[in-house]
Amino acid sequence: MIKFILLFSRHGLARLQKFYVPYTDTQRKKLTKEVTTTVLSRTGKKCNFVDYAGDKIVYKRYASLYFAFCIEPDTNELLTLESIHRLVEFLDKYFGNVCELDVIFNFEKAHFILDEFIIGGEIQETSVKVGIQAVESQDTIMEREIEEASQLFPSLSKSNARNNISSSGVHSNTFTFDNGQAQRNT
């Protein structure tokens, strides 16, 4: 079972965190700091598995991002390494050639993709095609809701609905909804 997943930059900045075991905020911050420090201190010639507090950390670097999974001691490390690669394939398929900026500016999409792939610390969907179709259907629903909101509140023009093109793909629609403005218009 996967206990938590961390994506962080080579500078040690957390980009995405997902915990499947309950931890307090203090414990989460401590785990994030310790795992990040441990992984970043290792050279490229060392293996991608680290024993950590009775568990194992399996990590892999892709470009400027590190993907680290904390797993139970009896979980297969090579299968976890393959799972990391599959997650990167999911992200690449959705964003184009995924980069750190895609995860930063589209963190909700990255969480959607992660949630399609892993639920409750267990891998649920290994098919990239099926997972991406699910995320794209979520995008369609979101776009439909944005259209409905703009019809309900005509003063919310398309200037509030920004279409951010990511550095490597086109799937990065965001919408800013200002409750204050909506309340004034009713």
Side-chain angles (χ1 to χ4, degrees), residues 52-120:
Y52 175 76
D55 294 320
K56 295 178 192 170
I57 302 295
V58 179
Y59 69 93
K60 181 85 172 137
R61 180 179 174 185
Y62 287 92
S64 64
L65 278 178
Y66 283 89
F67 293 74
F69 285 33
C70 178
I71 58 174
E72 294 177 336
D74 58 344
T75 305
N76 186 336
E77 299 95 345
L78 294 176
L79 183 60
T80 305
L81 204 55
E82 182 62 31
S83 299
I84 292 172
H85 185 70
R86 181 58 59 147
L87 175 60
V88 172
E89 287 179 345
F90 267 79
L91 293 169
D92 273 345
K93 181 78 171 172
Y94 185 78
F95 289 113
N97 188 11
V98 70
C99 68
E100 187 176 352
L101 291 175
D102 291 325
V103 176
I104 292 170
F105 292 117
N106 300 297
F107 65 92
E108 71 281 350
K109 303 285 185 185
H111 274 282
F112 288 158
I113 292 168
L114 186 58
D115 290 342
E116 284 298 322
F117 180 50
I118 299 171
I119 299 174

Side-chain angles (χ1 to χ4, degrees), residues 162-175:
R162 298 185 319 262
N163 197 10
N164 294 333
I165 304 299
S166 70
S167 60
S168 59
V170 295
H171 292 290
S172 60
N173 294 333
T174 58
F175 182 75

